[in-house]
Amino acid sequence: MDYIKENLSTIIILGILIVYLLYQRIPIYLNNSKMENLTLKEEIILTDLNNQEYNLSHLKDKTIVINFWATWCLPCKVEMPLLESTYKDLKSDGLEIFGITSEDRTLVKNYLQNNPVSYPIVIDKNYFLTNYFNIQGYPTIIIIKNNTIVDVAT
């Protein structure tokens, strides 16, 4: 009991911090659930770092994973090798993965020299895709099948 009395202020601050962090995450989860089962209504064309274009509506027979990430995001750095491994294993079965970032092209290219991936990386100029999918945190993964969002995870 003495321990609690001596550390009461620390316990209260820690409790407030936990409540605050949970409060910050709730809007993201609510937003993600609203996106599921939505059909993509417009043609979305992605252009990767090598200037190759991908039209998402032409890939409707494939499973598409869109990964919103950033070079400064530690969870993104952990996730990318897992996505790379999954891409190599399942690409022949119809899986397409796209890494989407809004960062500077040179910064991204430098990052990828040390952390290469074989799936296409797209620079989201003017935050078009970030706004279209209402991305609120990194990393965010969106899974699309038959032009319909089937799952969203942040």
Side-chain angles (χ1 to χ4, degrees):
M1 194 66 164
D2 289 334
Y3 177 80
I4 294 175
K5 287 180 182 178
E6 291 174 8
N7 296 298
L8 186 59
S9 62
T10 303
I11 293 169
I12 290 172
I13 291 172
L14 185 59
I16 290 171
L17 180 62
I18 290 171
V19 169
Y20 174 76
L21 291 174
L22 290 173
Y23 178 75
Q24 292 298 312
R25 300 298 287 178
I26 289 170
I28 293 172
Y29 292 121
L30 292 175
N31 177 61
N32 289 351
S33 64
K34 288 179 189 174
M35 288 178 51
E36 292 176 16
N37 299 318
L38 288 179
T39 302
L40 303 180
K41 299 203 189 276
E42 59 185 87
E43 241 180 43
I44 297 176
I45 299 173
L46 307 177
T47 305
D48 71 9
L49 290 173
N50 300 318
N51 293 319
Q52 182 170 347
E53 290 187 352
Y54 301 87
N55 187 330
L56 293 186
S57 63
H58 294 165
L59 300 172
K60 64 182 171 188
D61 58 331
K62 298 186 176 210
T63 299
I64 302 168
V65 175
I66 300 177
N67 178 40
F68 286 87
W69 68 283
T71 58
W72 49 263
C73 169
L74 185 58
C76 301
K77 292 178 182 182
V78 171
E79 185 177 71
M80 287 181 79
L82 299 172
L83 288 171
E84 174 65 13
S85 175
T86 303
Y87 183 65
K88 285 181 178 179
D89 290 345
L90 298 176
K91 181 176 172 132
S92 61
D93 294 332
L95 177 70
E96 290 292 337
I97 296 179
F98 296 96
I100 312 289
T101 182
S102 299
E103 294 179 290
D104 177 69
R105 183 182 208 86
T106 305
L107 177 70
V108 172
K109 282 188 170 187
N110 289 339
Y111 176 81
L112 291 173
Q113 284 179 348
N114 297 323
N115 305 282
V117 294
S118 58
Y119 56 85
I121 300 294
V122 175
I123 303 295
D124 184 16
K125 295 178 185 170
N126 302 320
Y127 299 94
F128 171 76
L129 296 168
T130 301
N131 291 331
Y132 182 84
F133 290 108
N134 198 18
I135 301 303
Q136 297 180 5
Y138 296 115
T140 295
I141 290 184
I142 298 173
I143 301 174
I144 300 170
K145 183 85 173 166
N146 296 324
N147 276 353
T148 302
I149 296 172
V150 294
D151 198 10
V152 179
T154 299

PDB file of all heavy atoms in Angstrom, residues 39-72:
ATOM      1  N   THR A  39     -16.755   0.396 -52.776  1.00  0.00           N
ATOM      2  CA  THR A  39     -16.285   0.142 -54.131  1.00  0.00           C
ATOM      3  C   THR A  39     -15.557   1.380 -54.640  1.00  0.00           C
ATOM      4  O   THR A  39     -16.021   2.506 -54.441  1.00  0.00           O
ATOM      5  CB  THR A  39     -17.471  -0.183 -55.055  1.00  0.00           C
ATOM      6  OG1 THR A  39     -18.150  -1.326 -54.524  1.00  0.00           O
ATOM      7  CG2 THR A  39     -17.009  -0.478 -56.461  1.00  0.00           C
ATOM      8  N   LEU A  40     -14.406   1.155 -55.279  1.00  0.00           N
ATOM      9  CA  LEU A  40     -13.670   2.277 -55.871  1.00  0.00           C
ATOM     10  C   LEU A  40     -14.468   2.792 -57.048  1.00  0.00           C
ATOM     11  O   LEU A  40     -14.742   2.066 -57.991  1.00  0.00           O
ATOM     12  CB  LEU A  40     -12.278   1.824 -56.317  1.00  0.00           C
ATOM     13  CG  LEU A  40     -11.401   1.206 -55.236  1.00  0.00           C
ATOM     14  CD1 LEU A  40     -10.047   0.806 -55.812  1.00  0.00           C
ATOM     15  CD2 LEU A  40     -11.206   2.170 -54.080  1.00  0.00           C
ATOM     16  N   LYS A  41     -14.853   4.055 -56.987  1.00  0.00           N
ATOM     17  CA  LYS A  41     -15.759   4.609 -57.985  1.00  0.00           C
ATOM     18  C   LYS A  41     -15.038   5.277 -59.156  1.00  0.00           C
ATOM     19  O   LYS A  41     -15.619   5.483 -60.189  1.00  0.00           O
ATOM     20  CB  LYS A  41     -16.703   5.602 -57.323  1.00  0.00           C
ATOM     21  CG  LYS A  41     -17.550   4.950 -56.266  1.00  0.00           C
ATOM     22  CD  LYS A  41     -18.795   5.718 -56.021  1.00  0.00           C
ATOM     23  CE  LYS A  41     -19.518   5.212 -54.838  1.00  0.00           C
ATOM     24  NZ  LYS A  41     -20.360   4.181 -54.884  1.00  0.00           N
ATOM     25  N   GLU A  42     -13.800   5.618 -58.963  1.00  0.00           N
ATOM     26  CA  GLU A  42     -13.096   6.264 -60.058  1.00  0.00           C
ATOM     27  C   GLU A  42     -11.843   5.475 -60.396  1.00  0.00           C
ATOM     28  O   GLU A  42     -11.378   4.663 -59.619  1.00  0.00           O
ATOM     29  CB  GLU A  42     -12.744   7.707 -59.701  1.00  0.00           C
ATOM     30  CG  GLU A  42     -11.881   7.865 -58.462  1.00  0.00           C
ATOM     31  CD  GLU A  42     -11.683   9.326 -58.113  1.00  0.00           C
ATOM     32  OE1 GLU A  42     -12.519   9.880 -57.404  1.00  0.00           O
ATOM     33  OE2 GLU A  42     -10.669   9.872 -58.557  1.00  0.00           O
ATOM     34  N   GLU A  43     -11.349   5.724 -61.598  1.00  0.00           N
ATOM     35  CA  GLU A  43     -10.127   5.068 -62.011  1.00  0.00           C
ATOM     36  C   GLU A  43      -8.950   5.649 -61.246  1.00  0.00           C
ATOM     37  O   GLU A  43      -8.764   6.861 -61.219  1.00  0.00           O
ATOM     38  CB  GLU A  43      -9.915   5.282 -63.514  1.00  0.00           C
ATOM     39  CG  GLU A  43      -9.879   4.003 -64.263  1.00  0.00           C
ATOM     40  CD  GLU A  43      -9.663   4.202 -65.739  1.00  0.00           C
ATOM     41  OE1 GLU A  43      -8.819   5.026 -66.135  1.00  0.00           O
ATOM     42  OE2 GLU A  43     -10.345   3.509 -66.490  1.00  0.00           O
ATOM     43  N   ILE A  44      -8.180   4.791 -60.639  1.00  0.00           N
ATOM     44  CA  ILE A  44      -6.997   5.235 -59.914  1.00  0.00           C
ATOM     45  C   ILE A  44      -5.784   4.690 -60.637  1.00  0.00           C
ATOM     46  O   ILE A  44      -5.633   3.473 -60.795  1.00  0.00           O
ATOM     47  CB  ILE A  44      -7.026   4.759 -58.452  1.00  0.00           C
ATOM     48  CG1 ILE A  44      -8.222   5.373 -57.734  1.00  0.00           C
ATOM     49  CG2 ILE A  44      -5.720   5.108 -57.746  1.00  0.00           C
ATOM     50  CD1 ILE A  44      -8.408   4.895 -56.323  1.00  0.00           C
ATOM     51  N   ILE A  45      -4.928   5.595 -61.084  1.00  0.00           N
ATOM     52  CA  ILE A  45      -3.712   5.202 -61.785  1.00  0.00           C
ATOM     53  C   ILE A  45      -2.526   5.551 -60.901  1.00  0.00           C
ATOM     54  O   ILE A  45      -2.369   6.699 -60.487  1.00  0.00           O
ATOM     55  CB  ILE A  45      -3.609   5.899 -63.155  1.00  0.00           C
ATOM     56  CG1 ILE A  45      -4.810   5.485 -64.016  1.00  0.00           C
ATOM     57  CG2 ILE A  45      -2.286   5.570 -63.829  1.00  0.00           C
ATOM     58  CD1 ILE A  45      -4.920   6.216 -65.321  1.00  0.00           C
ATOM     59  N   LEU A  46      -1.723   4.544 -60.618  1.00  0.00           N
ATOM     60  CA  LEU A  46      -0.529   4.721 -59.801  1.00  0.00           C
ATOM     61  C   LEU A  46       0.690   4.730 -60.706  1.00  0.00           C
ATOM     62  O   LEU A  46       0.788   3.913 -61.623  1.00  0.00           O
ATOM     63  CB  LEU A  46      -0.400   3.578 -58.795  1.00  0.00           C
ATOM     64  CG  LEU A  46      -1.615   3.286 -57.910  1.00  0.00           C
ATOM     65  CD1 LEU A  46      -1.335   2.074 -57.033  1.00  0.00           C
ATOM     66  CD2 LEU A  46      -1.953   4.484 -57.069  1.00  0.00           C
ATOM     67  N   THR A  47       1.613   5.647 -60.446  1.00  0.00           N
ATOM     68  CA  THR A  47       2.864   5.699 -61.200  1.00  0.00           C
ATOM     69  C   THR A  47       4.001   5.467 -60.237  1.00  0.00           C
ATOM     70  O   THR A  47       4.170   6.216 -59.270  1.00  0.00           O
ATOM     71  CB  THR A  47       3.026   7.070 -61.899  1.00  0.00           C
ATOM     72  OG1 THR A  47       1.872   7.313 -62.707  1.00  0.00           O
ATOM     73  CG2 THR A  47       4.274   7.084 -62.770  1.00  0.00           C
ATOM     74  N   ASP A  48       4.794   4.410 -60.492  1.00  0.00           N
ATOM     75  CA  ASP A  48       5.860   4.062 -59.559  1.00  0.00           C
ATOM     76  C   ASP A  48       7.128   4.873 -59.804  1.00  0.00           C
ATOM     77  O   ASP A  48       7.171   5.738 -60.689  1.00  0.00           O
ATOM     78  CB  ASP A  48       6.127   2.559 -59.562  1.00  0.00           C
ATOM     79  CG  ASP A  48       6.800   2.062 -60.826  1.00  0.00           C
ATOM     80  OD1 ASP A  48       7.237   2.879 -61.675  1.00  0.00           O
ATOM     81  OD2 ASP A  48       6.905   0.830 -60.978  1.00  0.00           O
ATOM     82  N   LEU A  49       8.161   4.595 -59.039  1.00  0.00           N
ATOM     83  CA  LEU A  49       9.418   5.349 -59.136  1.00  0.00           C
ATOM     84  C   LEU A  49      10.097   5.180 -60.492  1.00  0.00           C
ATOM     85  O   LEU A  49      10.914   6.003 -60.884  1.00  0.00           O
ATOM     86  CB  LEU A  49      10.384   4.919 -58.028  1.00  0.00           C
ATOM     87  CG  LEU A  49       9.995   5.333 -56.616  1.00  0.00           C
ATOM     88  CD1 LEU A  49      10.935   4.705 -55.592  1.00  0.00           C
ATOM     89  CD2 LEU A  49       9.990   6.841 -56.473  1.00  0.00           C
ATOM     90  N   ASN A  50       9.754   4.106 -61.214  1.00  0.00           N
ATOM     91  CA  ASN A  50      10.314   3.868 -62.548  1.00  0.00           C
ATOM     92  C   ASN A  50       9.396   4.377 -63.650  1.00  0.00           C
ATOM     93  O   ASN A  50       9.562   4.029 -64.809  1.00  0.00           O
ATOM     94  CB  ASN A  50      10.590   2.371 -62.738  1.00  0.00           C
ATOM     95  CG  ASN A  50      11.578   1.858 -61.725  1.00  0.00           C
ATOM     96  OD1 ASN A  50      12.570   2.513 -61.428  1.00  0.00           O
ATOM     97  ND2 ASN A  50      11.306   0.685 -61.175  1.00  0.00           N
ATOM     98  N   ASN A  51       8.397   5.165 -63.280  1.00  0.00           N
ATOM     99  CA  ASN A  51       7.412   5.765 -64.190  1.00  0.00           C
ATOM    100  C   ASN A  51       6.529   4.736 -64.885  1.00  0.00           C
ATOM    101  O   ASN A  51       5.964   5.015 -65.932  1.00  0.00           O
ATOM    102  CB  ASN A  51       8.094   6.679 -65.218  1.00  0.00           C
ATOM    103  CG  ASN A  51       8.684   7.901 -64.562  1.00  0.00           C
ATOM    104  OD1 ASN A  51       8.080   8.490 -63.666  1.00  0.00           O
ATOM    105  ND2 ASN A  51       9.880   8.271 -64.975  1.00  0.00           N
ATOM    106  N   GLN A  52       6.397   3.554 -64.322  1.00  0.00           N
ATOM    107  CA  GLN A  52       5.449   2.582 -64.850  1.00  0.00           C
ATOM    108  C   GLN A  52       4.090   2.849 -64.225  1.00  0.00           C
ATOM    109  O   GLN A  52       3.995   3.090 -63.025  1.00  0.00           O
ATOM    110  CB  GLN A  52       5.895   1.162 -64.545  1.00  0.00           C
ATOM    111  CG  GLN A  52       4.944   0.142 -65.128  1.00  0.00           C
ATOM    112  CD  GLN A  52       5.474  -1.269 -65.057  1.00  0.00           C
ATOM    113  OE1 GLN A  52       6.642  -1.484 -64.791  1.00  0.00           O
ATOM    114  NE2 GLN A  52       4.595  -2.231 -65.294  1.00  0.00           N
ATOM    115  N   GLU A  53       3.046   2.820 -65.066  1.00  0.00           N
ATOM    116  CA  GLU A  53       1.698   3.107 -64.595  1.00  0.00           C
ATOM    117  C   GLU A  53       0.918   1.816 -64.325  1.00  0.00           C
ATOM    118  O   GLU A  53       1.058   0.833 -65.062  1.00  0.00           O
ATOM    119  CB  GLU A  53       0.936   3.959 -65.612  1.00  0.00           C
ATOM    120  CG  GLU A  53       1.457   5.377 -65.695  1.00  0.00           C
ATOM    121  CD  GLU A  53       0.601   6.272 -66.574  1.00  0.00           C
ATOM    122  OE1 GLU A  53      -0.326   5.768 -67.255  1.00  0.00           O
ATOM    123  OE2 GLU A  53       0.849   7.482 -66.570  1.00  0.00           O
ATOM    124  N   TYR A  54       0.105   1.874 -63.279  1.00  0.00           N
ATOM    125  CA  TYR A  54      -0.761   0.760 -62.900  1.00  0.00           C
ATOM    126  C   TYR A  54      -2.156   1.321 -62.703  1.00  0.00           C
ATOM    127  O   TYR A  54      -2.355   2.203 -61.880  1.00  0.00           O
ATOM    128  CB  TYR A  54      -0.297   0.121 -61.589  1.00  0.00           C
ATOM    129  CG  TYR A  54       1.108  -0.415 -61.629  1.00  0.00           C
ATOM    130  CD1 TYR A  54       2.191   0.415 -61.329  1.00  0.00           C
ATOM    131  CD2 TYR A  54       1.359  -1.745 -61.947  1.00  0.00           C
ATOM    132  CE1 TYR A  54       3.482  -0.077 -61.356  1.00  0.00           C
ATOM    133  CE2 TYR A  54       2.655  -2.237 -61.975  1.00  0.00           C
ATOM    134  CZ  TYR A  54       3.712  -1.403 -61.682  1.00  0.00           C
ATOM    135  OH  TYR A  54       4.987  -1.884 -61.705  1.00  0.00           O
ATOM    136  N   ASN A  55      -3.113   0.794 -63.439  1.00  0.00           N
ATOM    137  CA  ASN A  55      -4.501   1.198 -63.298  1.00  0.00           C
ATOM    138  C   ASN A  55      -5.186   0.168 -62.400  1.00  0.00           C
ATOM    139  O   ASN A  55      -5.306  -1.003 -62.763  1.00  0.00           O
ATOM    140  CB  ASN A  55      -5.174   1.258 -64.671  1.00  0.00           C
ATOM    141  CG  ASN A  55      -6.558   1.828 -64.611  1.00  0.00           C
ATOM    142  OD1 ASN A  55      -7.259   1.687 -63.609  1.00  0.00           O
ATOM    143  ND2 ASN A  55      -6.971   2.476 -65.683  1.00  0.00           N
ATOM    144  N   LEU A  56      -5.619   0.592 -61.213  1.00  0.00           N
ATOM    145  CA  LEU A  56      -6.201  -0.346 -60.260  1.00  0.00           C
ATOM    146  C   LEU A  56      -7.438  -1.057 -60.811  1.00  0.00           C
ATOM    147  O   LEU A  56      -7.662  -2.224 -60.509  1.00  0.00           O
ATOM    148  CB  LEU A  56      -6.539   0.353 -58.946  1.00  0.00           C
ATOM    149  CG  LEU A  56      -5.365   0.869 -58.118  1.00  0.00           C
ATOM    150  CD1 LEU A  56      -5.854   1.396 -56.782  1.00  0.00           C
ATOM    151  CD2 LEU A  56      -4.307  -0.203 -57.906  1.00  0.00           C
ATOM    152  N   SER A  57      -8.218  -0.382 -61.645  1.00  0.00           N
ATOM    153  CA  SER A  57      -9.424  -1.028 -62.178  1.00  0.00           C
ATOM    154  C   SER A  57      -9.076  -2.144 -63.161  1.00  0.00           C
ATOM    155  O   SER A  57      -9.871  -3.057 -63.377  1.00  0.00           O
ATOM    156  CB  SER A  57     -10.354   0.001 -62.827  1.00  0.00           C
ATOM    157  OG  SER A  57      -9.717   0.601 -63.928  1.00  0.00           O
ATOM    158  N   HIS A  58      -7.880  -2.099 -63.748  1.00  0.00           N
ATOM    159  CA  HIS A  58      -7.451  -3.168 -64.650  1.00  0.00           C
ATOM    160  C   HIS A  58      -6.890  -4.363 -63.884  1.00  0.00           C
ATOM    161  O   HIS A  58      -6.631  -5.408 -64.474  1.00  0.00           O
ATOM    162  CB  HIS A  58      -6.401  -2.658 -65.630  1.00  0.00           C
ATOM    163  CG  HIS A  58      -6.934  -1.640 -66.575  1.00  0.00           C
ATOM    164  ND1 HIS A  58      -6.133  -0.824 -67.335  1.00  0.00           N
ATOM    165  CD2 HIS A  58      -8.213  -1.282 -66.906  1.00  0.00           C
ATOM    166  CE1 HIS A  58      -6.860  -0.015 -68.070  1.00  0.00           C
ATOM    167  NE2 HIS A  58      -8.131  -0.274 -67.815  1.00  0.00           N
ATOM    168  N   LEU A  59      -6.704  -4.209 -62.591  1.00  0.00           N
ATOM    169  CA  LEU A  59      -6.172  -5.294 -61.758  1.00  0.00           C
ATOM    170  C   LEU A  59      -7.272  -5.943 -60.924  1.00  0.00           C
ATOM    171  O   LEU A  59      -6.997  -6.581 -59.915  1.00  0.00           O
ATOM    172  CB  LEU A  59      -5.075  -4.737 -60.830  1.00  0.00           C
ATOM    173  CG  LEU A  59      -3.870  -4.104 -61.500  1.00  0.00           C
ATOM    174  CD1 LEU A  59      -2.975  -3.434 -60.471  1.00  0.00           C
ATOM    175  CD2 LEU A  59      -3.094  -5.126 -62.298  1.00  0.00           C
ATOM    176  N   LYS A  60      -8.528  -5.788 -61.345  1.00  0.00           N
ATOM    177  CA  LYS A  60      -9.643  -6.228 -60.499  1.00  0.00           C
ATOM    178  C   LYS A  60      -9.674  -7.731 -60.266  1.00  0.00           C
ATOM    179  O   LYS A  60     -10.273  -8.193 -59.308  1.00  0.00           O
ATOM    180  CB  LYS A  60     -10.970  -5.737 -61.053  1.00  0.00           C
ATOM    181  CG  LYS A  60     -11.348  -6.292 -62.388  1.00  0.00           C
ATOM    182  CD  LYS A  60     -12.654  -5.688 -62.840  1.00  0.00           C
ATOM    183  CE  LYS A  60     -12.928  -6.078 -64.281  1.00  0.00           C
ATOM    184  NZ  LYS A  60     -14.055  -5.404 -64.819  1.00  0.00           N
ATOM    185  N   ASP A  61      -9.027  -8.526 -61.121  1.00  0.00           N
ATOM    186  CA  ASP A  61      -9.002  -9.966 -60.900  1.00  0.00           C
ATOM    187  C   ASP A  61      -7.901 -10.381 -59.921  1.00  0.00           C
ATOM    188  O   ASP A  61      -7.758 -11.552 -59.607  1.00  0.00           O
ATOM    189  CB  ASP A  61      -8.827 -10.705 -62.233  1.00  0.00           C
ATOM    190  CG  ASP A  61      -7.564 -10.293 -62.969  1.00  0.00           C
ATOM    191  OD1 ASP A  61      -7.124  -9.141 -62.792  1.00  0.00           O
ATOM    192  OD2 ASP A  61      -7.018 -11.127 -63.722  1.00  0.00           O
ATOM    193  N   LYS A  62      -7.138  -9.409 -59.434  1.00  0.00           N
ATOM    194  CA  LYS A  62      -6.061  -9.676 -58.492  1.00  0.00           C
ATOM    195  C   LYS A  62      -6.411  -9.126 -57.114  1.00  0.00           C
ATOM    196  O   LYS A  62      -7.266  -8.273 -56.977  1.00  0.00           O
ATOM    197  CB  LYS A  62      -4.760  -9.032 -58.979  1.00  0.00           C
ATOM    198  CG  LYS A  62      -4.285  -9.583 -60.303  1.00  0.00           C
ATOM    199  CD  LYS A  62      -2.945  -9.032 -60.673  1.00  0.00           C
ATOM    200  CE  LYS A  62      -2.483  -9.693 -61.960  1.00  0.00           C
ATOM    201  NZ  LYS A  62      -1.063  -9.787 -62.013  1.00  0.00           N
ATOM    202  N   THR A  63      -5.699  -9.627 -56.117  1.00  0.00           N
ATOM    203  CA  THR A  63      -5.801  -9.047 -54.783  1.00  0.00           C
ATOM    204  C   THR A  63      -4.752  -7.953 -54.693  1.00  0.00           C
ATOM    205  O   THR A  63      -3.568  -8.195 -54.964  1.00  0.00           O
ATOM    206  CB  THR A  63      -5.555 -10.112 -53.701  1.00  0.00           C
ATOM    207  OG1 THR A  63      -6.550 -11.127 -53.843  1.00  0.00           O
ATOM    208  CG2 THR A  63      -5.634  -9.504 -52.314  1.00  0.00           C
ATOM    209  N   ILE A  64      -5.178  -6.756 -54.333  1.00  0.00           N
ATOM    210  CA  ILE A  64      -4.281  -5.599 -54.276  1.00  0.00           C
ATOM    211  C   ILE A  64      -4.095  -5.185 -52.822  1.00  0.00           C
ATOM    212  O   ILE A  64      -5.069  -5.003 -52.093  1.00  0.00           O
ATOM    213  CB  ILE A  64      -4.859  -4.414 -55.082  1.00  0.00           C
ATOM    214  CG1 ILE A  64      -5.083  -4.826 -56.537  1.00  0.00           C
ATOM    215  CG2 ILE A  64      -3.939  -3.199 -54.986  1.00  0.00           C
ATOM    216  CD1 ILE A  64      -5.906  -3.826 -57.330  1.00  0.00           C
ATOM    217  N   VAL A  65      -2.841  -5.046 -52.433  1.00  0.00           N
ATOM    218  CA  VAL A  65      -2.509  -4.544 -51.103  1.00  0.00           C
ATOM    219  C   VAL A  65      -1.844  -3.189 -51.301  1.00  0.00           C
ATOM    220  O   VAL A  65      -0.840  -3.073 -52.000  1.00  0.00           O
ATOM    221  CB  VAL A  65      -1.552  -5.495 -50.349  1.00  0.00           C
ATOM    222  CG1 VAL A  65      -1.119  -4.889 -49.027  1.00  0.00           C
ATOM    223  CG2 VAL A  65      -2.215  -6.850 -50.138  1.00  0.00           C
ATOM    224  N   ILE A  66      -2.427  -2.168 -50.707  1.00  0.00           N
ATOM    225  CA  ILE A  66      -1.839  -0.830 -50.755  1.00  0.00           C
ATOM    226  C   ILE A  66      -1.318  -0.522 -49.365  1.00  0.00           C
ATOM    227  O   ILE A  66      -2.070  -0.540 -48.393  1.00  0.00           O
ATOM    228  CB  ILE A  66      -2.877   0.230 -51.199  1.00  0.00           C
ATOM    229  CG1 ILE A  66      -3.395  -0.107 -52.594  1.00  0.00           C
ATOM    230  CG2 ILE A  66      -2.254   1.619 -51.173  1.00  0.00           C
ATOM    231  CD1 ILE A  66      -4.458   0.835 -53.091  1.00  0.00           C
ATOM    232  N   ASN A  67      -0.030  -0.243 -49.294  1.00  0.00           N
ATOM    233  CA  ASN A  67       0.620   0.020 -48.014  1.00  0.00           C
ATOM    234  C   ASN A  67       1.056   1.485 -47.974  1.00  0.00           C
ATOM    235  O   ASN A  67       1.952   1.884 -48.726  1.00  0.00           O
ATOM    236  CB  ASN A  67       1.830  -0.905 -47.844  1.00  0.00           C
ATOM    237  CG  ASN A  67       2.573  -0.634 -46.566  1.00  0.00           C
ATOM    238  OD1 ASN A  67       1.973  -0.385 -45.529  1.00  0.00           O
ATOM    239  ND2 ASN A  67       3.884  -0.680 -46.628  1.00  0.00           N
ATOM    240  N   PHE A  68       0.416   2.264 -47.126  1.00  0.00           N
ATOM    241  CA  PHE A  68       0.830   3.656 -46.921  1.00  0.00           C
ATOM    242  C   PHE A  68       1.914   3.649 -45.852  1.00  0.00           C
ATOM    243  O   PHE A  68       1.699   3.150 -44.753  1.00  0.00           O
ATOM    244  CB  PHE A  68      -0.364   4.516 -46.491  1.00  0.00           C
ATOM    245  CG  PHE A  68      -1.304   4.810 -47.622  1.00  0.00           C
ATOM    246  CD1 PHE A  68      -2.326   3.924 -47.926  1.00  0.00           C
ATOM    247  CD2 PHE A  68      -1.169   5.956 -48.387  1.00  0.00           C
ATOM    248  CE1 PHE A  68      -3.190   4.177 -48.975  1.00  0.00           C
ATOM    249  CE2 PHE A  68      -2.021   6.222 -49.439  1.00  0.00           C
ATOM    250  CZ  PHE A  68      -3.038   5.324 -49.727  1.00  0.00           C
ATOM    251  N   TRP A  69       3.071   4.214 -46.184  1.00  0.00           N
ATOM    252  CA  TRP A  69       4.230   4.147 -45.299  1.00  0.00           C
ATOM    253  C   TRP A  69       5.054   5.423 -45.389  1.00  0.00           C
ATOM    254  O   TRP A  69       4.803   6.289 -46.227  1.00  0.00           O
ATOM    255  CB  TRP A  69       5.096   2.939 -45.666  1.00  0.00           C
ATOM    256  CG  TRP A  69       5.757   3.085 -47.020  1.00  0.00           C
ATOM    257  CD1 TRP A  69       5.180   2.930 -48.253  1.00  0.00           C
ATOM    258  CD2 TRP A  69       7.110   3.448 -47.274  1.00  0.00           C
ATOM    259  NE1 TRP A  69       6.086   3.170 -49.245  1.00  0.00           N
ATOM    260  CE2 TRP A  69       7.286   3.489 -48.677  1.00  0.00           C
ATOM    261  CE3 TRP A  69       8.192   3.745 -46.454  1.00  0.00           C
ATOM    262  CZ2 TRP A  69       8.504   3.811 -49.268  1.00  0.00           C
ATOM    263  CZ3 TRP A  69       9.401   4.052 -47.060  1.00  0.00           C
ATOM    264  CH2 TRP A  69       9.549   4.090 -48.446  1.00  0.00           C
ATOM    265  N   ALA A  70       6.050   5.547 -44.521  1.00  0.00           N
ATOM    266  CA  ALA A  70       6.977   6.679 -44.531  1.00  0.00           C
ATOM    267  C   ALA A  70       8.352   6.182 -44.082  1.00  0.00           C
ATOM    268  O   ALA A  70       8.455   5.224 -43.314  1.00  0.00           O
ATOM    269  CB  ALA A  70       6.491   7.787 -43.600  1.00  0.00           C
ATOM    270  N   THR A  71       9.392   6.842 -44.548  1.00  0.00           N
ATOM    271  CA  THR A  71      10.753   6.418 -44.218  1.00  0.00           C
ATOM    272  C   THR A  71      11.068   6.605 -42.739  1.00  0.00           C
ATOM    273  O   THR A  71      11.905   5.893 -42.198  1.00  0.00           O
ATOM    274  CB  THR A  71      11.799   7.184 -45.042  1.00  0.00           C
ATOM    275  OG1 THR A  71      11.642   8.596 -44.791  1.00  0.00           O
ATOM    276  CG2 THR A  71      11.641   6.923 -46.530  1.00  0.00           C
ATOM    277  N   TRP A  72      10.390   7.524 -42.070  1.00  0.00           N
ATOM    278  CA  TRP A  72      10.657   7.810 -40.659  1.00  0.00           C
ATOM    279  C   TRP A  72       9.830   6.925 -39.722  1.00  0.00           C
ATOM    280  O   TRP A  72      10.021   6.934 -38.505  1.00  0.00           O
ATOM    281  CB  TRP A  72      10.351   9.277 -40.339  1.00  0.00           C
ATOM    282  CG  TRP A  72       9.019   9.727 -40.840  1.00  0.00           C
ATOM    283  CD1 TRP A  72       8.746  10.393 -42.000  1.00  0.00           C
ATOM    284  CD2 TRP A  72       7.740   9.513 -40.206  1.00  0.00           C
ATOM    285  NE1 TRP A  72       7.399  10.610 -42.132  1.00  0.00           N
ATOM    286  CE2 TRP A  72       6.745  10.084 -41.042  1.00  0.00           C
ATOM    287  CE3 TRP A  72       7.338   8.907 -39.020  1.00  0.00           C
ATOM    288  CZ2 TRP A  72       5.402  10.059 -40.739  1.00  0.00           C
ATOM    289  CZ3 TRP A  72       5.976   8.871 -38.713  1.00  0.00           C
ATOM    290  CH2 TRP A  72       5.031   9.453 -39.569  1.00  0.00           C
TER     291      TRP A  72
END
